[in-house]
Amino acid sequence: MARIGGIPDTLDEQVVKFSQRSLEQPIMLNSVPKGGTHLLRNIMRMFVPVEQHYNADFVQVPNMHQHLEAFNPHAPMLSAAHLLFSDQSYANVRTARHILLVRDPYDWVLARARFFVSEEFQQDNIAHLKSGVFSTDALINMMIFGIHQKTPGLIDIFTHNAAAWLGTGVHLLRYEDLLGAVQSIDTPEADVLFDKLFKACGIERPDDWAERVVVGADRRYSRTARENLKAANAITFPVELSAQQKALVDFHAPGLRALLGYA
């Protein structure tokens, strides 16, 4: 059982309180790492029987061969992935309904930085980022440009995990639009967004869909929500990038934000 800040993840106990219809086709919730994956996954869990939740792992290229059952059309499952585009990736997931979640690169940089310095993140070759030696601005630049031979830059991640999937039958969903719909669940805009999302997933929207969304979106169930991440050495980050840092993102990945639908 997953634990969040020492508290067990009890979302499955909420799922079974609602009537569920079995999936007829696999669903893969694919996303850019630190793109809001847990929010989307927890919402969609509320519309799928617990026994059809694929919980073994997040599917990625290194472990994909171990999790092919997640995409078995004869035993449909709801899975989550950080799966970059490749010939083998496409071949393996071609039978699944594919939701691609992205995040504004400006905000993604900060989300990635907060995660990298948190106790939740474990990667030995860059553990020193938590030491307090590096300034906030230096850490942000590392999130934009990457660290040579240690971790990729923004353009590499967004190219292979997002841009390369466009036009291949995916349903593109922006994290900010999803979050806005959750926070204004009774609005026409939220109704339209979730109507499109459920249709893309092949799920018939139940009458109590809004109630289910609110339960699934409860941030207490997301171990990577900002307030559930404990930073080492009290490292803090700004609410948004500075004008110079935004310019650095644009220099590093020109056209990316426009491609994903951000102004």
Side-chain angles (χ1 to χ4, degrees), residues 43-146:
I43 288 173
M44 296 312 302
R45 284 169 65 186
M46 299 300 301
F47 298 87
V48 177
V50 170
E51 59 269 20
Q52 288 188 300
H53 296 180
Y54 190 81
N55 297 322
D57 206 345
F58 277 77
V59 183
Q60 303 182 65
V61 164
N63 68 9
M64 180 170 54
H65 65 287
Q66 299 173 350
H67 302 291
L68 296 181
E69 61 187 294
F71 313 115
N72 182 354
H74 305 295
M77 302 289 282
L78 171 71
S79 63
H82 298 316
L83 190 60
L84 57 81
F85 180 79
S86 73
D87 53 347
Q88 195 62 59
S89 298
Y90 181 87
N92 288 339
V93 307
R94 68 190 186 282
T95 62
R97 291 179 176 265
H98 188 162
I99 311 302
L100 179 64
L101 181 68
V102 298
R103 189 169 188 165
D104 187 333
Y106 289 165
D107 293 328
W108 176 87
V109 167
L110 291 169
R112 189 190 194 197
R114 284 190 292 267
F115 184 60
F116 270 41
V117 302
S118 73
E119 294 180 355
E120 182 77 20
F121 182 73
Q122 301 293 328
Q123 184 173 324
D124 291 343
N125 68 334
I126 52 175
H128 56 284
L129 297 185
K130 307 177 187 182
S131 65
V133 169
F134 305 97
S135 70
T136 297
D137 288 338
L139 289 168
I140 289 174
N141 279 17
M142 293 175 198
M143 299 302 104
I144 298 172
F145 295 101

Side-chain angles (χ1 to χ4, degrees), residues 32 102-103 105 108 154-164 256 260:
V32 172
V102 298
R103 189 169 188 165
W108 176 87
L154 178 155
I155 188 61
D156 291 323
I157 292 174
F158 273 82
T159 293
H160 299 292
N161 285 82
L256 175 61
L260 300 178

Side-chain angles (χ1 to χ4, degrees), residues 148-190:
H148 183 59
Q149 296 184 338
K150 293 181 180 179
T151 187
L154 178 155
I155 188 61
D156 291 323
I157 292 174
F158 273 82
T159 293
H160 299 292
N161 285 82
W165 283 111
L166 298 179
T168 65
V170 303
H171 176 74
L172 181 65
L173 179 63
R174 285 179 288 272
Y175 167 75
E176 293 79 11
D177 295 340
L178 176 63
L179 183 60
V182 168
Q183 294 173 340
S184 56
I185 197 67
D186 295 323
T187 64
E189 292 79 10

